[in-house]
Amino acid sequence: MSQFDGSNSDRGGQRPESSTPRLICIGDPSLAPATHDSLDVVPVRSASEAFDELECGDVVGIWIARDQLPQIGEVRGIAQSGAMLRDMPEGVALLDADMRVLWANRRLLKWAGRDEQTPMGMNFYALLGEPEIMGPDFCPFHTALAIADESNSTLHTADNRYFQVHAAPIHYPDATKQLIVTVGDITDEIMQQQKLAAIHQAGRELADIRPAEIFMMEVDERIELLKDNIRHYLSDLLNYEFIEIRLLEHATGNLMPLLSVGIDQEAADRKLLAHPQGNGITGYVAATGVSYICADVVNDPLFIPGVQGSRSSLTVPLILHDQVLGTLNVESPEPHAFGDTDLQFLEIFARDIALALNTLELLVAQKANTAQQSCDAIHSAVAMPVDEILNDAVNLMEDYIGHGGEMADRLRRILQNTRDIKRTIQQIGQKMTPLEAVPAGSRSPQDEVLRGQRVLVVDADEKVREDAHQLLERYGCIVETASKGDEAVLMVRGLGSGESYDVVISDIQLPDYSGYQLMLRLGERMDRVPMILMQGFGYDPGHSIVKARQNGLHPKGVLYKPFRLDQLIDVVRTILLANQPELAEGCSDAAPDPAKKQQNETSGAS
């Protein structure tokens, strides 16, 4: 009989098998029953060693000495631990140094598609169908054994599942190496991350237009491209079948339809306002800027049907810089179809849509600004040459008055065509920069009274004439200039039947005669001369202003150089209203004078 010295105790399964049945004794073997004479008694120190010995098939029983009975708790603990490992919700396996599975719990076997009778000893990766190792450690088991520390990695199986594996080494006194491996199913987490990344990528591509595309595409084409991209990603990426996007018109509060997929036409055409009551969930979300999940339309008083048979909906605002641009609504025929994850994904994508819409608006505004600047530059470049042509043409007409009518008619056509050039440039500019494409604060400050009024500016200073074009034409005036009095008289004489200048602005001292004398000469051609005289402070040779006022010059019809833009506009406006009272009916006295915003701009030489 072996003595209780532990000399025969080794790792379970390592003792050579004998023909004599063995009895495992925990405690002093001399106290064991007499039947042990026919048995090979194997003394061990603990229940753990006893379980190791059970791996050999010749063990007939375990005897526990009375003084070792407290160790029964250890036996119970081992049994309970085994049951816990077997039934825990994560996978657990014991591997040897060659990555062969010595034991696996039910969860891991279920994930591997194996039953509990699967023979152990197969390679761990083979058990899971040779999954792809995603990292960060591409040899987690070898690493754990090599560095005697924990290691982890992610596995991707052929059926598109993801598992997180964690390996921890076990070292025995006899240098045997094994691994405890825990396995967690992280498929939902990985799929959510991938979907989130796809949403971010889709958001970046929504308005990803190359410079060449911007150059070639019209505004409507860009909008259609954006709508197609939104429709594609919402349907194919987020798997939404019923979609509606509306844009908020801030001036009116209307929610204008931009895109609808699967929505009933009557519902898509329905007028909705950004108001929390009476305008459905869409109106509520637009008014509050807060997302809304309608779990069951039957019990939601805000819901207005958009799809026949709809049972639930999710609506989020399109927000940029804390401003609501519109709404994005999706619906489902199933109740409770949308949860927190759907809300998170749709809110992220809604921010990308809002950014794409803003980018599109910026592109349109930039195109309008560029077109406006181009037209202004062209008009500025031709304004003075056109005036020179007009002056030359009216001078030539003087030579042919009373002579051949054909030449005079040709000169009149030249005058008309020359004036048409300027009007055409302005009209093209207005077509290329429609008001809806230009931000309200950037629109040309045209005045209801000044728009379309014809102004003649007479001054020897070319800079004054150029400034007159630049300053007055931005308010909608039609400006023509002359450098001296005789040219001005001929310009008035050369007007067609029924045409006249609505305002004449003249310097008080012209190269040929005074502003007052010009006023008298124009009075021979005009029933009433809408005159404005310009002078430097304290400079009025011949008392032109005094004489002009005595002959009908409006009390406010004087500008002192250098004058501010708002002063110029105010005086022109006053003269127009004095001579055309009907203009007052079309303008609002409460409307702010746009020139007040530009008081620092000046014109005229001192």
Side-chain angles (χ1 to χ4, degrees), residues 452-456 500-504 526 530 575-576 579-580:
Q453 301 298 316
R454 177 171 284 178
V455 180
L456 175 62
S500 66
Y501 289 107
D502 300 297
V503 176
V504 178
M526 306 172 70
I575 300 304
L576 285 169
N579 289 276
Q580 304 178 57

Side-chain angles (χ1 to χ4, degrees), residues 32-96:
T35 54
H36 71 274
D37 290 337
S38 59
L39 301 174
D40 184 6
V41 177
V42 180
V44 297
R45 292 186 176 87
S46 66
S48 296
E49 293 183 10
F51 275 95
D52 288 339
E53 294 291 342
L54 286 176
E55 293 185 14
C56 298
D58 57 353
V59 176
V60 295
I62 299 176
W63 178 82
I64 305 175
R66 181 177 295 275
D67 60 351
Q68 296 293 320
L69 282 178
Q71 294 190 29
I72 197 66
E74 182 182 356
V75 176
R76 185 180 295 111
I78 292 174
Q80 291 175 343
S81 298
M84 291 170 57
L85 290 173
R86 179 191 62 199
D87 298 324
M88 69 183 302
E90 290 190 345
V92 182
L94 177 65
L95 309 185
D96 64 14

Side-chain angles (χ1 to χ4, degrees), residues 11 52 85 92-97 102-103 141 143-150 166-182:
R11 285 201 67 255
D52 288 339
L85 290 173
V92 182
L94 177 65
L95 309 185
D96 64 14
L102 302 177
W103 176 86
F141 303 147
T143 299
L145 292 172
I147 66 174
D149 201 356
E150 301 173 0
H166 183 91
I170 303 174
H171 294 279
Y172 294 98
D174 63 352
T176 300
K177 296 181 179 180
Q178 293 180 345
L179 291 170
I180 292 291
V181 177
T182 58

Side-chain angles (χ1 to χ4, degrees), residues 449-499:
V449 174
L450 273 65
R451 186 184 301 114
Q453 301 298 316
R454 177 171 284 178
V455 180
L456 175 62
V457 179
V458 190
D459 199 300
D461 190 338
E462 183 176 347
K463 181 66 168 61
V464 173
R465 301 199 303 272
E466 290 178 349
D467 288 346
H469 277 291
Q470 180 182 1
L471 300 179
L472 290 173
E473 285 176 349
R474 73 172 65 173
Y475 288 92
C477 293
I478 301 170
V479 180
E480 294 175 359
T481 68
S483 60
K484 54 187 180 180
D486 282 338
E487 288 180 354
V489 173
L490 294 178
M491 293 284 284
V492 172
R493 185 184 299 175
L495 292 173
S497 176
E499 294 183 328

Side-chain angles (χ1 to χ4, degrees), residues 93-241:
L94 177 65
L95 309 185
D96 64 14
D98 295 322
M99 291 182 290
R100 291 176 298 190
V101 179
L102 302 177
W103 176 86
N105 72 343
R106 290 176 177 174
R107 178 66 64 179
L108 181 58
L109 293 175
K110 180 179 179 181
W111 285 340
R114 311 276 181 169
D115 56 38
E116 293 189 38
Q117 303 302 318
T118 300
M120 295 297 97
M122 66 185 310
N123 181 274
F124 178 85
Y125 293 122
L127 181 68
L128 290 178
E130 302 296 344
E132 178 187 3
I133 303 176
M134 307 293 295
D137 191 335
F138 290 89
C139 300
F141 303 147
H142 287 105
T143 299
L145 292 172
I147 66 174
D149 201 356
E150 301 173 0
S151 181
N152 61 79
S153 190
T154 300
L155 307 180
H156 181 209
T157 64
D159 56 353
N160 203 33
R161 288 188 299 168
Y162 293 85
F163 295 105
Q164 180 76 40
V165 296
H166 183 91
I170 303 174
H171 294 279
Y172 294 98
D174 63 352
T176 300
K177 296 181 179 180
Q178 293 180 345
L179 291 170
I180 292 291
V181 177
T182 58
V183 183
D185 189 344
I186 57 171
T187 301
D188 290 342
E189 178 183 343
I190 294 294
M191 297 296 285
Q192 187 169 357
Q193 291 175 356
Q194 291 178 346
K195 194 171 185 179
L196 193 59
I199 289 174
H200 283 303
Q201 179 64 27
R204 287 192 296 269
E205 294 176 354
L206 274 178
D208 185 16
I209 306 175
R210 275 43 174 193
E213 295 173 328
I214 294 176
F215 181 77
M216 297 299 296
M217 297 174 68
E218 296 295 331
V219 173
D220 291 342
E221 292 175 319
R222 295 176 196 167
I223 293 174
E224 288 303 316
L225 174 63
L226 177 60
K227 289 166 61 175
D228 286 342
N229 286 341
I230 293 173
R231 184 185 301 110
H232 164 68
Y233 290 123
L234 285 175
S235 300
D236 297 350
L237 179 60
L238 296 177
N239 300 317
Y240 296 137
E241 297 181 15

